[in-house]
Amino acid sequence: MYKFFEEYDEKVTEELTGNFKNIITQLGENPTREGITDTPERAAKAMQFLMQGYDCNPEEILRKAMFKESYSEMVVVKDIELYSLCEHHMLPFFGKAHIAYIPNGYIVGLSKLPRIVDVFSRRMQVQERLTDDILECINKTIKPLGVAVVIEAQHMCMMMRGVQKQNSVTTTSGFRGQFEKIETRNEFLKLITSDLK
Ligand SMILES: Nc1nc2c(ncn2[C@@H]2O[C@H](COP(=O)(O)OP(=O)(O)OP(=O)(O)O)[C@@H](O)[C@H]2O)c(=O)[nH]1
Ligand SMILES: [Zn+2]
């Protein structure tokens, strides 16, 4: 599912390397300067890594690890770290995702939830769509009684440049099924804000 170092597409890497050489030159650096001669290729591979989410099928990831179970209480996986690229500036935004679902006959392998967070994060994104992508993927695939996703993130495009605000955190959320009821939603929000580690 994931690309590894040796699996980078040679042609894409070569073309991206050329593009990064041009970018470096246009920005006033000398791409042949000792110390950065390999940088265009490193950048080419880094960007392919950060954008590998287009080649993956997140629904398949969940489907492969669905297990029939009668457990029907809330399952919460919180503090899932994420790194994505904002589609406006291609600068990182990063933070945490919190996911909950209430099974409806099937549970899903726990690790698969962070895996789908990675798949959707490793694309050009806005935080709102990232939140919805994760929510809809879980809803469609395991058809739970309810699903909730909260993402808290900081955007480098608001920190390093532009408005230059270092401490603002953006929170987005989505709720389906039983999480549309205020008590269920509150139970989830209480669980993700608890200090239990
Ligand atoms: N809603 C939303 N906006 C985002 C996200 N990531 C970046 N942005 C915003 O996208 C907007 C793009 O606005 P523009 O005015 O076209 O771009 P800009 O001139 O670079 O804007 P500034 O960042 O304000 O300097 C900015 O307000 C960013 O803060 C995101 O995930 N969600
Ligand atoms: Zn941005």
Side-chain angles (χ1 to χ4, degrees):
M1 180 190 75
Y2 292 108
K3 287 179 187 164
F4 294 101
F5 193 81
E6 63 274 21
E7 289 173 19
Y8 288 111
D9 185 299
E10 241 174 70
K11 191 164 173 284
V12 176
T13 304
E14 199 182 308
E15 284 178 13
L16 273 176
T17 301
N19 291 334
F20 274 113
K21 264 186 202 155
N22 288 336
I23 291 171
I24 289 170
T25 308
Q26 277 153 10
L27 292 173
E29 245 300 359
N30 170 12
T32 60
R33 172 169 73 73
E34 204 193 333
I36 63 166
T37 45
D38 292 336
T39 298
E41 189 183 333
R42 288 192 201 100
K45 286 178 175 167
M47 287 310 289
Q48 286 179 83
F49 182 90
L50 298 177
M51 299 267 263
Q52 69 186 275
Y54 294 109
D55 289 346
C56 306
N57 182 341
E59 289 175 22
E60 198 183 302
I61 292 172
L62 292 187
R63 257 190 224 107
K64 275 191 178 158
M66 283 172 59
F67 310 107
K68 219 169 180 349
E69 276 300 333
S70 58
Y71 181 87
S72 60
E73 294 299 321
M74 191 183 297
V75 178
V76 182
V77 181
K78 68 173 190 169
D79 294 334
I80 303 167
E81 65 265 38
L82 69 89
Y83 295 90
S84 188
L85 290 176
C86 93
E87 68 183 24
H88 303 114
H89 302 95
M90 293 183 76
L91 286 172
F93 65 94
F94 61 95
K96 290 176 191 168
H98 312 289
I99 299 176
Y101 74 99
I102 300 171
N104 186 16
Y106 286 90
I107 56 166
V108 70
L110 287 178
S111 68
K112 306 308 176 190
L113 298 172
R115 281 190 191 282
I116 66 161
V117 170
D118 285 348
V119 168
F120 287 118
S121 297
R122 289 173 177 161
R123 299 176 179 185
M124 287 168 68
Q125 276 288 9
V126 292
Q127 189 178 325
E128 293 89 332
R129 193 173 63 244
L130 176 59
T131 309
D132 275 347
D133 283 348
I134 297 166
L135 189 87
E136 291 306 338
C137 178
I138 296 168
N139 209 25
K140 220 164 118 185
T141 313
I142 64 173
K143 298 185 172 60
L145 295 175
V147 54
V149 176
V150 169
I151 294 181
E152 302 169 281
Q154 288 183 279
H155 292 245
M156 292 308 288
C157 66
M158 291 176 68
M159 298 167 78
M160 294 174 78
R161 58 158 299 287
V163 75
Q164 298 179 59
K165 293 292 167 245
Q166 307 310 315
N167 298 306
S168 70
V169 177
T170 304
T171 304
T172 46
S173 58
F175 304 98
R176 292 282 183 281
Q178 291 192 1
F179 288 93
E180 289 168 49
K181 286 192 297 191
I182 196 74
E183 319 85 73
T184 315
R185 185 183 297 206
N186 282 345
E187 183 185 337
F188 165 62
L189 295 175
K190 204 168 136 198
L191 285 170
I192 65 172
T193 48
S194 90
D195 281 337
L196 194 66
K197 292 284 176 202

